[in-house]
Amino acid sequence: MKFKNIILGTYLLFIMCFIVGYIYIEAGGGTSKNKSEIVLDTFSEDKQDKLITKEEAVQNVKEYLNKSNGYLPPIIEIDNKNENYYIVHAYEIVKNKDESHTATTGWYYVNLYTGEVSDMIN
């Protein structure tokens, strides 16, 4: 009887470890991906139909800047696009007599699927 209890206990322990390991892996444990990347990986193959537009991305950055510091530079434009994000540059051109330069307010990621804005620098 004691031998059966040991086998049953070992079996239950194995099952519990398997379940905990499965939950850990499914939650993204042990990966270098951040939470948003894990969520993106769960989207269906037709995710291309749900991309936000460039105009929406720029508008989201304007709203983000308005909430965070209240300053909107005169130029906010899409600089680039990768697999998951628009890369948006917010800046102005400062002119001083015979020369001018770009004064960057910030660089921002805009998630292609959710529209969420995040500051690339801060």
Side-chain angles (χ1 to χ4, degrees), residues 66-83:
N66 198 30
K67 287 178 185 176
S68 63
N69 63 14
Y71 173 71
L72 293 177
I75 305 169
I76 300 174
E77 61 187 8
I78 304 294
D79 180 75
N80 205 343
K81 176 183 161 188
N82 66 25
E83 190 176 311

Side-chain angles (χ1 to χ4, degrees), residues 94-109:
V94 178
K95 295 180 181 180
N96 295 321
K97 295 184 183 181
D98 296 335
E99 61 184 38
S100 65
H101 68 275
T102 301
T104 296
T105 301
W107 288 91
Y108 304 92
Y109 290 117

Side-chain angles (χ1 to χ4, degrees), residues 43-111:
F43 284 152
S44 64
E45 290 301 317
D46 64 341
K47 65 184 178 182
Q48 296 297 324
D49 297 336
K50 300 176 185 176
L51 297 178
I52 67 165
T53 65
K54 291 179 179 182
E55 293 78 15
E56 290 171 321
V58 168
Q59 183 60 37
N60 289 0
V61 170
K62 287 179 180 179
E63 291 171 7
Y64 175 87
L65 287 171
N66 198 30
K67 287 178 185 176
S68 63
N69 63 14
Y71 173 71
L72 293 177
I75 305 169
I76 300 174
E77 61 187 8
I78 304 294
D79 180 75
N80 205 343
K81 176 183 161 188
N82 66 25
E83 190 176 311
N84 295 316
Y85 299 97
Y86 286 115
I87 298 170
V88 181
H89 187 198
Y91 64 99
E92 64 182 291
I93 297 175
V94 178
K95 295 180 181 180
N96 295 321
K97 295 184 183 181
D98 296 335
E99 61 184 38
S100 65
H101 68 275
T102 301
T104 296
T105 301
W107 288 91
Y108 304 92
Y109 290 117
V110 180
N111 187 295

Side-chain angles (χ1 to χ4, degrees), residues 1 4-5 20 35 46 59 101 105:
M1 185 68 150
K4 287 182 182 180
N5 288 340
V20 170
K35 192 174 185 179
D46 64 341
Q59 183 60 37
H101 68 275
T105 301

Side-chain angles (χ1 to χ4, degrees), residues 4-63:
K4 287 182 182 180
N5 288 340
I6 291 173
I7 291 176
L8 180 61
T10 304
Y11 178 73
L12 290 175
L13 182 62
F14 173 78
I15 296 297
M16 289 173 56
C17 289
F18 178 80
I19 291 170
V20 170
Y22 179 79
I23 292 170
Y24 179 75
I25 290 169
E26 286 298 309
T31 69
S32 61
K33 293 182 178 183
N34 64 36
K35 192 174 185 179
S36 62
E37 290 173 323
I38 292 166
V39 171
L40 286 176
D41 286 346
T42 63
F43 284 152
S44 64
E45 290 301 317
D46 64 341
K47 65 184 178 182
Q48 296 297 324
D49 297 336
K50 300 176 185 176
L51 297 178
I52 67 165
T53 65
K54 291 179 179 182
E55 293 78 15
E56 290 171 321
V58 168
Q59 183 60 37
N60 289 0
V61 170
K62 287 179 180 179
E63 291 171 7

